Every structure is written in C-alpha cells, then in structure tokens.
Amino acid sequence: MKQKLTFTYWRDGDWWLGYLDEFPDHWTQGESLEELKVMLADLYKDLTSGEIAGIRHRGEMELELA
C-alpha cells in the first residue's frame, strides 16, 4: 500500500533539510534530495509507530458559522 506524503525541503550548503508537513517539529537531513526522501520515510515510520510519546499532529476541521 502506498501513501502520499507532503514535505517541505530546502538546501543548506551541502545538505538537504526537510520535514513532513504533518509533523513540522521533526526535521531530518540528507546529502541529496533522494537521501532526504529516504530519511523522511524512515522518520514517518518512527513518528506513526506509536512508540514515541508526545508527537504533535496537524488536523483540519470545518465549522458552520451562523
């Protein structure tokens, strides 16, 4: 099963830095964009495993205003 994830990334010197948009508090890095994507996939597995306490999540909701 595949899941589509969005992420934010940038280059800083020789490194590619980024985070999953759902978990902006947790950054990772790679020596290339492809390596960064691998690191982000590993990070996602760790953050969603339930093994780490206190992970903040981002959500959406709709309100009907009068």
Side-chain angles (χ1 to χ4, degrees):
M1 178 175 79
K2 287 191 177 190
Q3 182 172 356
K4 186 180 281 191
L5 301 173
T6 59
F7 63 99
T8 300
Y9 68 97
W10 61 97
R11 192 164 185 172
D12 188 358
D14 293 335
W15 292 94
W16 291 83
L17 305 169
Y19 58 85
L20 298 162
D21 291 343
E22 184 179 350
F23 302 100
D25 294 336
H26 304 277
W27 293 14
T28 190
Q29 64 187 22
E31 291 185 26
S32 67
L33 183 54
E34 288 306 313
E35 182 180 11
L36 175 62
K37 289 179 182 179
V38 169
M39 300 302 286
L40 287 166
D42 288 343
L43 181 60
Y44 181 79
K45 290 174 190 170
D46 289 343
L47 294 173
T48 59
S49 70
E51 298 292 318
I52 303 171
I55 300 298
R56 295 183 214 177
H57 296 267
R58 197 176 260 183
E60 287 185 15
M61 60 187 227
E62 287 187 29
L63 296 176
E64 187 171 328
L65 303 175

